Amino acid sequence: MGDLGEFDSSFIQALEHRPKPNATEAQGIPLIDLSPISCHEDVETNSETDPASIEELVKQVGSACKNWGFFQVINHGVPLDRRQRIEAVAREFFAQSLEEKRRVKRDEVKIMGYYDREHTKNVRDWKEVFDFGVEDPTLVAASTDPDDDSVAYWTNQWPEYPPKFRETCEEYTRDVGKLIMKLMELIALSLGLKAKRFHEYFKDQTSTIRLNYYPPCPSPELALGVGRHRDNGVLTVLAQDEVGGLQVKRRTDGEWIGVKPTPGAFIINVGDIMQVWTNEAYRSAEHRVVVNSVKERLSIPFFLNPAHYTEVKPLEELIDEEHPPKYRPYVWGKFQVIRKRSNFIKLNVDNIQIDDFRIAP
Ligand code: OGA
Ligand code: NI
């Protein structure tokens, strides 16, 4: 990727999307302390915790989702060594030769694995990724045809090297999976719903975890590690290392704000499905990744996605005469399959997005 004499034009962003040399650093992206819930399995029913501190936490989560769609959490209960171990195996994996990494490469059939040619909005990203499913195998829709309800499975591909790669990834999945469901409980409570309101959607979840590796880039002023986008699932929990590069578009003025790495913290962001479920009470935030010429960077997002057969639409509890639905229902699995396929080809049209289902006011 890095040894091209001339900078490869497929990575070059249009002028208006290139990063500014001195971006503003995170001021005001909420930092939330989860200690009131971090040692408990269940948000609602624990006797030791003071209900007032939970109530306060629920308020903080609600206002962060409403105003930013982005926040960081500390004291979240995921042990630090879980995170250090997955970062260590990820670094070892990406440090191998391209030939080694391509032994587990992803293609149109094998959806999980290694990939270094992803495009966001038709410009190539300056990154390499390794994807795996939270459920293995993951039950998915077999085709994009709305009348075809046959199913398929995505199975994980695991490299032989480094040793313990698979088990380290699976342990991380379990711990962050618990955290993400606790966050969903807090979010449900913040919307005035029962804590477990969302659980039914995740029985056959199609969630994935991605290891993102951003090599140093010779022309960081022209390219992006990931172009601007919104995550299309429900919620994302991201671990980033100390290098920094993630930026969020601030709602109030459209400015790109850097999310300052906070040791041990996870970054949480609202995805498009949450935006539809909440009928836009909580909106997904646009974000991107800038790269630099000296340091490699690693990040690990857990993308929480519902079962493929989930019909995504505004929750009935949040709809009434004053709040009519802003979206028509769509089937998540069909959407997901279209998105995954389009990652392999450079499309000349804009990709499928939730705006396609928005009801005009
Ligand atoms: C993503 C993403 C952010 C990061 O993979 O969808 O937004 O910091 N990554 O790597
Ligand atoms: Ni993202």
Side-chain angles (χ1 to χ4, degrees):
M1 227 167 167
D3 5 278
L4 304 155
E6 199 176 302
F7 194 63
D8 183 341
S9 64
S10 63
F11 292 106
I12 298 180
Q13 296 284 334
L15 263 177
E16 70 270 29
H17 299 310
R18 292 183 196 164
K20 276 203 276 178
N22 299 307
T24 326
E25 273 243 310
Q27 281 304 321
I29 291 179
L31 182 68
I32 299 180
D33 183 344
L34 292 183
S35 38
I37 59 147
S38 58
C39 43
H40 303 284
E41 286 294 308
D42 199 318
V43 171
E44 246 180 354
T45 58
N46 60 72
S47 44
E48 300 112 274
T49 318
D50 156 30
S53 66
I54 301 252
E55 212 173 292
E56 174 53 33
L57 181 56
V58 167
K59 269 198 205 135
Q60 285 177 21
V61 168
S63 79
C65 288
K66 186 160 175 280
N67 300 326
W68 280 91
F70 244 90
F71 54 102
Q72 301 205 61
V73 295
I74 50 169
N75 296 321
H76 41 65
V78 177
L80 187 61
D81 71 307
R82 276 280 178 281
R83 177 137 159 204
Q84 289 166 335
R85 289 177 49 183
I86 194 169
E87 286 189 16
V89 292
R91 284 183 205 284
E92 279 180 79
F93 173 76
F94 288 113
Q96 298 177 101
S97 67
L98 207 49
E99 192 190 348
E100 282 301 318
K101 292 185 274 194
R102 288 200 174 144
R103 286 166 181 251
V104 286
K105 88 172 174 358
R106 146 186 157 196
D107 57 34
E108 284 89 338
V109 183
K110 289 181 263 174
I111 293 293
M112 300 299 164
Y114 173 77
Y115 198 55
D116 66 355
R117 291 181 179 253
E118 195 159 74
H119 291 72
T120 303
K121 304 208 191 316
N122 296 325
V123 182
R124 192 166 159 199
D125 293 332
W126 190 268
K127 69 175 181 197
E128 299 173 35
V129 303
F130 180 87
D131 287 331
F132 59 96
V134 165
E135 302 290 338
D136 189 23
T138 300
L139 178 66
V140 296
S143 88
T144 57
D145 175 356
D147 299 320
D148 176 1
D149 44 11
S150 57
V151 296
Y153 292 93
W154 290 343
T155 36
N156 288 342
Q157 297 197 75
W158 298 106
E160 267 167 46
Y161 182 86
K164 302 232 168 123
F165 184 90
R166 174 180 186 166
E167 103 187 44
T168 308
C169 289
E170 288 176 346
E171 280 166 3
Y172 184 84
T173 305
R174 270 196 298 280
D175 282 358
V176 178
K178 280 187 206 153
L179 169 64
I180 215 164
M181 292 317 291
K182 282 195 224 169
L183 289 164
M184 289 302 291
E185 294 186 14
L186 292 170
I187 290 172
L189 293 171
S190 78
L191 292 162
L193 306 169
K194 287 209 176 69
K196 297 208 175 355
R197 173 64 176 86
F198 293 113
H199 284 227
E200 60 176 294
Y201 300 112
F202 301 105
K203 189 178 150 278
D204 294 310
Q205 64 178 308
T206 55
S207 304
T208 60
I209 294 185
R210 168 166 278 188
L211 309 176
N212 278 312
Y213 173 71
Y214 304 97
C217 176
S219 299
E221 69 290 352
L222 299 177
L224 288 169
V226 189
R228 77 198 157 93
H229 68 283
R230 298 181 158 88
D231 293 346
N232 48 55
V234 175
L235 195 72
T236 305
V237 171
L238 177 117
Q240 68 166 337
D241 68 11
E242 69 297 337
V243 174
L246 173 61
Q247 298 184 331
V248 187
K249 196 171 185 175
R250 187 162 56 195
R251 296 237 171 87
T252 48
D253 57 3
E255 195 71 29
W256 287 103
I257 307 292
V259 181
K260 197 174 168 191
T262 302
F266 284 107
I267 296 159
I268 317 298
N269 67 283
V270 166
D272 287 341
I273 293 179
M274 183 70 81
Q275 173 165 328
V276 174
W277 277 348
T278 63
N279 209 30
E280 297 189 351
Y282 298 165
R283 282 173 299 149
S284 58
E286 197 164 32
H287 54 284
R288 69 180 188 184
V289 173
V290 298
V291 284
N292 71 79
S293 59
V294 272
K295 283 187 182 155
E296 55 178 30
R297 174 172 181 264
L298 196 69
S299 76
I300 310 172
F302 182 130
F303 299 110
L304 181 70
N305 297 325
H308 78 85
Y309 45 76
T310 305
E311 192 187 47
V312 181
K313 57 181 184 199
L315 298 178
E316 270 156 34
E317 301 94 308
L318 305 178
I319 296 304
D320 58 29
E321 244 162 71
E322 271 118 76
H323 305 91
K326 293 183 175 167
Y327 293 88
R328 300 183 269 121
Y330 64 94
V331 178
W332 163 247
K334 302 287 170 193
F335 185 98
Q336 186 182 33
V337 167
I338 295 172
R339 291 293 295 223
K340 282 281 178 211
R341 284 207 185 142
S342 68
N343 285 338
F344 295 97
I345 32 169
K346 197 168 179 242
L347 296 171
N348 291 319
V349 289
D350 227 13
N351 207 338
I352 185 172
Q353 49 194 342
I354 52 164
D355 290 350
D356 301 335
F357 307 103
R358 202 166 190 287
I359 298 167

